[in-house]
């Protein structure tokens, strides 16, 4: 009521005279183009011949996100000569690795610096652990490191906005072992949606992959980390796997 549309598309509302303490509600509908993503900011300003006592602010703004789709991880590769994909569970890498590249489905939140809780370049939003003396992994998700797992401290994370990729620098060449990498649910896209790590359409969970670095092993799935895939049972009689002197 009392609003007219100006040539620039900004509604101007003349409220007329108002009694002290009176309230007027104005609803403004906004239409955006289909496919528009990212936040939009609504701003309002008020002018008057006379301000009420104690009023110092005549402007306000509110940010609204148009993006309701959570981001996902679309690829995970090693940072090595002849990069290997470890996106599928139980990956095997036969080349020395000094880091990882995490590809996301969209642009991620990347404010200045690298210490924001939801920043894609904050190393704390990732977790890399290696197996300890028990040669197994106890740490399942982001957070504390459990058992005798060995936490791998990242030297830094570099964001490539052109490819929506985060480069995780392990700061050293990793030794052959069983590893687990997680991109944490604290990561957010530009609309503030948390990471959908399991790809079920709902954000708020970690993306987790287990893999083995084993440059000297020529066998596929040589450690039976997840199953016996790639191997054929030669005897129906259960028994111990023994070493042969002919083995290289």
């Amino acid at each position: 009521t009392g609003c007219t549309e100006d040539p620039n598309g900004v509604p101007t509302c003349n409220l007329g005279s108002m009694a002290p303490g009176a309230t007027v509600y104005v609803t403004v509908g906004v239409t955006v183009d289909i496919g528009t993503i990212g936040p939009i900011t609504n701003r309002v300003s008020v002018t008057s011949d006379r301000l009420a006592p104690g009023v110092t602010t005549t402007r306000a703004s509110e940010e609204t996100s148009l993006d309701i789709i959570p981001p996902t991880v679309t690829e995970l590769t090693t940072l090595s000569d002849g990069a290997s994909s470890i996106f599928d569970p139980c990956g095997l890498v036969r080349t020395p690795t000094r880091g990882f590249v995490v590809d996301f489905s969209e642009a991620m939140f990347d404010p200045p610096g690298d210490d924001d809780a939801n920043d894609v370049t904050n190393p704390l939003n990732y977790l890399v652990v290696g197996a300890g003396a028990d040669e197994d992994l106890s740490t399942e998700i982001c957070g504390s490191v459990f058992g005798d797992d060995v936490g791998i401290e990242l030297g830094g994370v570099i964001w490539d906005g052109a490819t929506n990729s985060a480069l995780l620098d392990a700061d050293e060449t990793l030794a052959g072992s069983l590893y687990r990498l997680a991109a944490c649910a604290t990561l957010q896209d530009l609309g503030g949606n948390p990471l959908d790590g399991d790809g079920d359409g709902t954000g708020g969970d970690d993306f987790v992959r287990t893999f083995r670095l084993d440059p000297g092993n020529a066998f596929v799935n040589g450690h039976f980390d997840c199953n016996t895939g790639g191997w054929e049972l030669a005897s129906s009689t259960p028994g111990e796997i023994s070493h042969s002197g002919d083995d290289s």
Side-chain angles (χ1 to χ4, degrees), residues 9-162:
V10 179
T12 300
C13 303
N14 185 353
L15 304 180
S17 299
M18 296 177 59
T23 301
V24 174
Y25 294 94
V26 176
T27 300
V28 178
V30 178
T31 302
V32 297
D33 295 333
I34 296 176
T36 301
I37 61 173
I40 60 173
T41 302
N42 299 298
R43 296 185 176 89
V44 61
S45 62
V46 177
T47 59
S48 175
D49 295 336
R50 182 173 56 188
L51 295 177
V55 174
T56 58
T57 301
T58 59
R59 299 175 184 271
S61 63
E62 179 71 23
E63 189 172 276
T64 302
S65 174
L66 302 178
D67 180 8
I68 61 173
I69 300 175
T72 60
V73 174
T74 58
E75 181 61 282
L76 176 62
T77 55
T78 58
L79 186 62
S80 56
D81 296 333
S84 300
S85 173
I86 49 176
F87 182 80
D88 293 331
C90 300
L92 175 65
V93 181
R94 295 195 178 92
T95 55
T97 298
R98 58 187 181 274
F100 309 92
V101 179
V102 184
D103 294 346
F104 293 92
S105 58
E106 58 179 296
M108 301 295 286
F109 181 58
D110 180 28
D114 60 5
D115 57 358
D116 189 281
N118 309 114
D119 189 350
V120 72
T121 63
N122 186 341
L124 297 179
N125 285 324
Y126 305 87
L127 179 70
V128 182
V129 295
D134 66 358
E135 299 184 8
D136 199 4
L137 294 169
S138 300
T139 306
E140 298 289 340
I141 59 175
C142 291
S144 301
V145 176
F146 291 97
D148 68 347
D149 294 356
V150 179
I152 308 299
E153 184 175 353
L154 295 176
V157 179
I158 299 175
W159 174 246
D160 185 350

Side-chain angles (χ1 to χ4, degrees), residues 101-235:
V101 179
V102 184
D103 294 346
F104 293 92
S105 58
E106 58 179 296
M108 301 295 286
F109 181 58
D110 180 28
D114 60 5
D115 57 358
D116 189 281
N118 309 114
D119 189 350
V120 72
T121 63
N122 186 341
L124 297 179
N125 285 324
Y126 305 87
L127 179 70
V128 182
V129 295
D134 66 358
E135 299 184 8
D136 199 4
L137 294 169
S138 300
T139 306
E140 298 289 340
I141 59 175
C142 291
S144 301
V145 176
F146 291 97
D148 68 347
D149 294 356
V150 179
I152 308 299
E153 184 175 353
L154 295 176
V157 179
I158 299 175
W159 174 246
D160 185 350
T163 59
N164 292 335
S165 302
L167 186 155
L168 282 55
D169 180 12
D171 217 21
E172 61 179 333
T173 299
L174 299 178
S177 182
L178 187 65
Y179 290 90
R180 182 163 289 150
L181 183 150
C184 305
T186 46
L187 291 164
Q188 294 183 353
D189 63 12
L190 297 182
N193 300 298
L195 181 68
D196 176 14
D198 60 9
D200 66 352
T202 301
D205 36 61
D206 303 334
F207 170 88
V208 182
R209 286 295 184 270
T210 302
F211 57 95
R212 181 176 290 277
L213 299 183
D214 202 5
N217 195 338
F219 289 111
V220 174
N221 191 22
H223 293 266
F224 310 111
D225 287 327
C226 299
N227 51 50
T228 56
W231 292 83
E232 181 179 345
L233 182 64
S235 172

